Amino acid sequence: MDTVYFDNSATTKTDEEVVKAMLPYLSESYGNPSSIYKIGRDNKKAIEDARQIVAQTLNCDSKEIYFTAGGSESDNTAIRGIAYGYKSKGNHIITSKIEHPAVLETCKQLEKEGFEVTYLNVNENGIVDLEELKKSIKPTTTLITIMFANNEIGTIEPIKEIGEIAKVNNVLFHTDAVQAVGSVRIDVKKLNIDSLSMSAHKFYGPKGVGALYVRQRVKFEKFVNGGHQERNKRAGTENVPGIVGLGKALEIAYRDLDEHNKKIKELRDYFVESIKEKIPYIKINGDMEKRLPGNSNISFRFIEGEGLLLNLDLKGICASSGSACTSGSLDPSHVLLAIGLPHEIAHGSLRISIGKYNTKEEVDYLIENLVEIVSRLREMSPLWEEFLEKEEKK
């Protein structure tokens, strides 16, 4: 096999139906959506049609949907926009220790600007402590921002309960749902979500385009000054092909959700059970029940994750040691440290994220090579030799 792709949490292949839907807006219908002539109006309608698809998917009003350049922009906009929109009420924000850097770095920047941030602990499976959340709320708390599902270990948070806690305490609730949208059905009304972020390239859409839901009557400051696009909240000529692609990808994702989730989960479970049977001294990270269907995160003792990835790459296998946004860092994953893994085990982690285009043959190829690579890397490891010597003396 030339290339076998198992990094769908980082990005996905753009669906051919999505590409087909986008093409006319790259060549034929190229007008500026702000123009009054026909090809401009056609583009404006295409944007509004996509906005309606997003709104229907989340069970909200289309006026509550804003298009952005992706998940990171949506997170930044929601958190900063709401924080400053409600600064007269208070300056306290609550988040968790396992959030995506788009959330954590935004919160750190707000701390430098005079805001107070509480970072909640999680349990060994990465689930937020609801009692700690309740105790952390103050009269000055204006925003809770907790991700829907973790990008590294796949754990799905108790979003409904968090939404209820926020509502009872008159605090706004934002969720980074970048990993969840396209894999989980989300009703923002039933879940008491006030703001939600998504990104098209996580559900077989194009890169560089996302969406932000903000409940009506929630105040948030504009994030780009200039023209009056996106109801005067984000200036700049809209990315029409990207927005059309996002709408089409979302439509397809929920049209085929149950069928694809069943297939993906079966492949994921087959992979995990095979690895547990064939490779000793491993740890499955995250909650196996409250989890995204395609995600598996495994720590292999006595080896480095970087060596594992490089050897997999030589076999044409694409995987990850964590979030693609932090893959340039030599530090162990902040998520794995937060769930209690020691540094030496966290360093040997591998994230395999299966998508709708993966096959059982590809999973078998992955298993076969992973077994061989882990065995070979361990034989080269002084830690492995030391461990075996201790075992022999027992």
Side-chain angles (χ1 to χ4, degrees), residues 2 21 43 70 78 97 125 156 171 266 268 297 304 329 352:
D2 294 329
N43 276 256
K97 292 181 178 178
N125 287 328
I156 297 173
V171 175
E266 285 175 355
R268 191 273 312 276
N297 188 299
E304 290 284 339
S329 171
I352 296 294

Side-chain angles (χ1 to χ4, degrees), residues 201-221:
H201 75 107
K202 303 294 187 177
F203 46 89
Y204 309 95
K207 297 174 183 65
V209 61
L212 171 65
Y213 156 75
V214 182
R215 190 188 298 275
Q216 287 191 64
R217 294 186 295 280
V218 170
K219 295 185 296 182
F220 73 105
E221 292 199 353

Side-chain angles (χ1 to χ4, degrees), residues 30-35 43 47 67 224 226-230 234-241 243:
Y30 49 83
N32 189 314
S34 298
S35 302
N43 276 256
I47 291 172
F67 290 115
V224 180
H228 300 289
Q229 292 89 348
E230 294 304 294
R234 186 183 190 265
T237 303
E238 299 92 338
N239 174 9
V240 181
I243 291 169

Side-chain angles (χ1 to χ4, degrees), residues 304-351:
E304 290 284 339
E306 185 178 11
L308 188 56
L309 289 180
L310 290 172
N311 278 272
L312 286 170
D313 182 48
L314 290 173
K315 298 291 185 178
I317 298 169
C318 306
S320 170
S321 60
S323 167
C325 300
T326 57
S327 59
S329 171
L330 294 177
D331 295 327
S333 156
H334 71 285
V335 174
L336 298 183
L337 295 180
I339 64 174
L341 292 190
H343 277 63
E344 62 272 17
I345 294 179
H347 265 301
S349 69
L350 177 72
R351 181 184 71 178

Side-chain angles (χ1 to χ4, degrees), residues 12-192:
T12 54
K13 176 183 176 181
T14 306
D15 190 292
E16 288 183 9
E17 283 189 67
V18 174
V19 175
K20 186 177 179 180
M22 292 172 63
L23 282 176
Y25 299 94
L26 289 165
S27 55
E28 301 163 18
S29 186
Y30 49 83
N32 189 314
S34 298
S35 302
I36 62 171
Y37 39 76
K38 187 177 185 303
I39 58 172
R41 296 197 308 273
D42 288 347
N43 276 256
K44 185 68 174 176
K45 183 180 183 302
I47 291 172
E48 297 312 314
D49 288 346
R51 200 186 309 277
Q52 189 61 42
I53 291 171
V54 179
Q56 288 174 350
T57 302
L58 299 178
N59 188 28
C60 66
D61 192 286
S62 62
K63 292 183 176 129
E64 298 173 311
I65 301 300
Y66 303 84
F67 290 115
T68 68
S72 291
E73 185 186 319
S74 293
D75 284 338
N76 275 255
T77 299
I79 296 167
R80 290 189 64 84
I82 291 172
Y84 274 98
Y86 289 84
K87 195 174 184 183
S88 60
K89 178 191 172 185
N91 69 337
H92 182 229
I93 299 166
I94 299 173
T95 189
S96 83
K97 292 181 178 178
I98 64 166
E99 299 296 310
H100 188 276
V103 171
L104 291 177
E105 292 302 317
T106 301
C107 288
K108 288 176 184 177
Q109 181 59 38
L110 285 170
E111 285 183 287
K112 294 176 183 178
E113 297 170 20
F115 288 85
E116 179 188 2
V117 182
T118 296
Y119 299 88
L120 300 176
N121 293 305
V122 295
N123 67 15
E124 62 181 6
N125 287 328
I127 296 175
V128 167
D129 186 330
L130 295 177
E131 290 305 311
E132 185 184 359
L133 170 60
K134 292 175 186 176
K135 292 175 183 176
S136 298
I137 296 174
K138 307 177 181 183
T140 54
T141 306
T142 57
L143 178 65
I144 296 168
T145 175
I146 303 290
M147 67 195 336
F148 204 112
N150 187 264
N151 49 301
E152 293 190 36
I153 59 175
T155 296
I156 297 173
E157 299 295 338
I159 295 299
K160 190 173 191 297
E161 291 83 351
I162 295 170
E164 289 171 353
I165 292 168
K167 186 176 182 180
V168 167
N169 288 275
N170 195 30
V171 175
L172 296 174
F173 174 37
H174 166 259
T175 185
D176 172 354
V178 166
Q179 291 292 331
V181 172
S183 295
V184 181
R185 297 192 188 279
I186 301 174
D187 185 322
V188 293
K189 291 179 181 175
K190 288 183 179 178
L191 297 175
N192 293 304

